[in-house]
Amino acid sequence: MSVAPEPGIKRELFGSRMGFVLAAVGSAVGLGNMWRFPYQAAEGGGAAFVAAYVLMVFVIGVPMMLAEFAAGRSARRSALGAVRRIGGARWIPLGLLFVATSTIILSYLSVITGWAIQYATDAMFVGYAADAGARYAEVASGGPAIALHLLSVAITVGIVVFGVRRGIEKASLVLMPTLFLLLIGLAVWASTLPGAGRGYAFYLTPSLSDVLDPAVLQGATAQAFYSLSVGMGIMITYSSYLPKETNLNREASIIALSDFSVAFIAGLVVFPIVFALGLSEQIGDSTMGALFISLPSAFSEMGAVGRWVGSAFFLALLVAAITSAVSLLEVSAAVLIDQLGLTRKVATVVSGVGVAALGVIPALSLDALAIMDQLAAELFTVVGVLGVAVLVGWFMKNPEDELRIGASPVFERSIRAARFLVRYVAPPLLAWISWVALRQTITLLTG
Ligand code: PHE
């Protein structure tokens, strides 16, 4: 009789605490931090949004991250294998949802990563075009966009194929500190701009009426999940490569704080630039447009300095995007390795080919890109988090025991609080947000 292999038992492990934390931060820090957060804060009440966001990150985001960590490290399987092991075969659809969500997000994220490659190289080698809008139209879709998308997928596959320790961890240990340094340098430089004060004011002036606005709270909550990369199996997958002695509670707090810091600092970079050049009226239009049109046109007006700053900015964006892409690809690669018994090489290449093919659609149409973003990043992830909350909150046996491993008694209270929040607070809250997201998606698809 042949015994089924137990891939959950002898699997790869992260080599160091720092490696795991930086890989998880690398996943969490992405376009959402570099643009979406500052932009939403500016639109949705300034400091009021920032406060609501921090509240939601710690009250619900961190507990949900802990739920994913508990599921992943206790099951020691891919995201699909983990939910099945914990909840039984009925939960396989949740695992499949993770695979679908991560694949869709990765397919258009790598298109956008391609733009960042183009803009970084523009800055380094030719300078920014005076007509930033026309340049964006050239770069954003069509043949060049497809080529750059394929290049980003190739880079991502090239990292993931080396595995957890030699690929993901090593890349994170180099890339994340680079990103922090670039951003801090940019923030310091931005503070010297003549528009800095007005930029900060626009970004952070609290608007009291917004504190009580449910739309602000909903926006902050959705942003918290998106930014922490929960709801698509990433944190389940990454934590499945953790040794038992890691204190999951401490790591989750560090990851959330780092993620918030990067988002906050990105706002300190973006708004002074926008205001120094009087581009504030442009930023309302579209998120992507603002990032890839307003900023480059600011850089082009700054001459030589703009090329330096532009290279640094888009390089930072590129790093942020690649480390997120790596985590997304690992979700499906791990499923193929664990569930189908493929080798890492084959699993990574198969996932990469799927993403490369699917990404041709958003590379050809910005409308398709927007629809995929709405569907996967707004709707599927929230449903995914809801699934995790119900699974870990109600079906997993003693998830708090998993969180106690490696944690000193100081953490006892927060473990109990997390358990309560995951069990009772998260499901209704997430059901409500899923409903809001579903209505938005239907409006977008039919409107
Ligand atoms: N968390 C990333 C960000 O803040 C985005 C992301 C979403 C990454 C989903 C991976 C998966 O930008």
Side-chain angles (χ1 to χ4, degrees), residues 191-205:
S191 72
T192 65
L193 291 174
R198 269 175 306 135
Y200 297 146
F202 177 73
Y203 176 27
L204 294 172
T205 301

Side-chain angles (χ1 to χ4, degrees), residues 27-33 105 226-227 229 232 234 324 328:
S27 173
V29 170
L31 283 171
N33 304 62
I105 295 183
Y226 180 78
S227 191
S229 296
M232 55 214 96
I234 291 175
S324 295
L328 288 162

